[in-house]
Amino acid sequence: MDLRLLSSFLAVAEEGHFGRAAARLFLSPPAVTGHIRRLETELGTRLLHRAPVSLTPAGERLAVHARALLAAANAALDDVADAAEDRPAVRPLRIGIMGHGSAELTPAAINAYRRARPEVPVETRELDYTEHVSALLGDRVDVAFVRPAPDDERIVCDVLTTERRIVAVPERSPLADARGTGVHLADVAELPYFRLPGHTPRVFTDYLYFGGDAPRLSAHTALTPHEVLTAVVTGRAAGSGLESFARYYSWPGAVFVPVLDAPWESSYLAVRADDTGPEVRIFRALARALAGDRGAAAHPTR
């Protein structure tokens, strides 16, 4: 696919006008019109409504892929230029993963990156609940699959998945019978949620306790899903998370109950705001494209 056609398509989609898109690209309006027609012919479908200019459903889908493809292409050009100037070799891409990350999107993004950049080593590192800001800012990882969104202007992140919230309780809990029907926030307010260390970012404690301090906490402290589930199945604490948590951590003795009126929450890919390295850009573009393919609303949060 000719990347010039995608550039023209995105310019028209973003400007909402063929003439303004042509001026932005330093092309003539007929040239931009021709690019759109060629792209529609190649794909066999209409991408833009003409009067007024707006995206068709097929155009909406292509826009997600076009942005990712152009971002990856630009990052590849920068990388080749780096090599041509004999700059130091790119270090391994270090990927931090909190818990199960963004569910199935986590291994999909890593495998897509490995296929696209087989010459770049990949290192994965488990992050605990206190590290979704500090691991990036301390330069221990380059990208991180985390939740919720870090509240720090030095970090930028993209939404990858958005899911229902659940609580994890022992199978003997009175709430366990509601695993198929769900409960409400009022039903889970008094659960003995596990404790977090004092240096845990406030945004994570708000997420864990559904927006505020839990009135009754367990004596048990947990930093990883394994520690959470150990406390749950032994009856020492309760936990909360995203619905996909149940698919990845199906432990005997632990029951996962949907919280019907809790706001849905997202998982994110987070990177340092000042990191413009090509490998981070490529990985971010691939993850966003995959999220778009799977129907997630992938967009920058800040």
Side-chain angles (χ1 to χ4, degrees):
M1 183 176 292
D2 192 332
L3 295 181
R4 294 175 302 169
L5 307 186
L6 293 180
S7 294
S8 292
F9 165 71
L10 277 182
V12 174
E14 292 169 359
E15 296 291 341
H17 191 276
F18 279 80
R20 289 196 297 271
R24 168 174 153 182
L25 297 169
F26 300 99
L27 296 173
S28 67
V32 173
T33 301
H35 287 174
I36 301 303
R37 286 176 178 166
R38 282 177 55 192
L39 195 55
E40 289 179 330
T41 298
E42 288 183 12
L43 296 176
T45 187
R46 178 65 65 91
L47 300 172
L48 292 163
H49 299 298
R50 266 42 174 198
V53 174
S54 62
L55 290 170
T56 67
E60 293 278 1
R61 292 194 178 189
L62 179 62
V64 173
H65 297 291
R67 290 188 180 95
L69 287 168
L70 291 171
N74 289 333
L77 291 174
D78 289 345
D79 188 45
V80 171
D82 286 348
E85 295 175 12
D86 294 325
R87 295 181 182 178
V90 176
R91 68 181 182 181
L93 184 70
R94 300 162 300 166
I95 302 171
I97 306 172
M98 178 185 287
H100 66 295
S102 294
E104 289 81 2
L105 271 173
T106 304
I110 294 172
N111 290 333
Y113 177 80
R114 282 179 166 146
R115 290 193 294 270
R117 302 288 289 155
E119 70 278 15
V120 179
V122 171
E123 298 177 359
T124 59
R125 301 184 180 183
E126 181 182 2
L127 302 182
D128 68 39
Y129 298 144
T130 70
E131 293 183 301
H132 68 323
V133 171
S134 61
L136 284 165
L137 297 182
D139 195 27
R140 297 193 295 277
V141 299
D142 303 303
V143 300
F145 290 91
V146 301
R147 59 195 175 279
D151 184 18
D152 192 305
E153 64 183 9
R154 295 169 294 178
I155 304 293
V156 294
C157 49
D158 304 305
V159 176
L160 295 186
T161 65
T162 301
E163 306 174 50
R164 187 189 302 278
R165 295 295 305 279
I166 56 96
V167 290
V169 297
E171 60 184 357
R172 61 181 176 275
S173 166
L175 298 183
D177 290 340
R179 73 185 76 188
T181 56
V183 295
H184 294 87
L185 285 169
D187 301 316
V188 302
E190 296 293 330
L191 286 177
Y193 295 104
F194 63 86
R195 293 181 180 273
L196 291 165
H199 63 281
T200 304
R202 175 72 189 196
V203 67
F204 190 86
T205 59
D206 286 346
Y207 160 81
L208 175 64
Y209 304 140
F210 294 98
D213 292 323
R216 183 164 70 95
L217 287 177
S218 166
H220 185 78
T221 298
L223 291 177
T224 66
H226 181 94
E227 292 173 347
V228 171
L229 288 168
T230 299
V232 169
V233 299
T234 56
R236 290 184 289 163
S240 74
L242 302 179
E243 194 168 37
S244 57
F245 187 94
R247 297 199 299 275
Y248 282 78
Y249 300 104
S250 180
W251 279 32
V255 175
F256 304 100
V257 183
V259 184
L260 303 176
D261 57 344
W264 286 37
E265 284 279 1
S266 299
S267 68
Y268 299 83
L269 181 71
V271 303
R272 289 181 292 276
D274 62 355
D275 191 337
T276 59
E279 303 309 323
V280 169
R281 290 166 57 194
I282 291 171
F283 190 91
R284 190 179 179 191
L286 290 169
R288 292 178 64 178
L290 286 166
D293 284 344
R294 295 174 183 234
H299 58 274
T301 61
R302 60 176 67 87

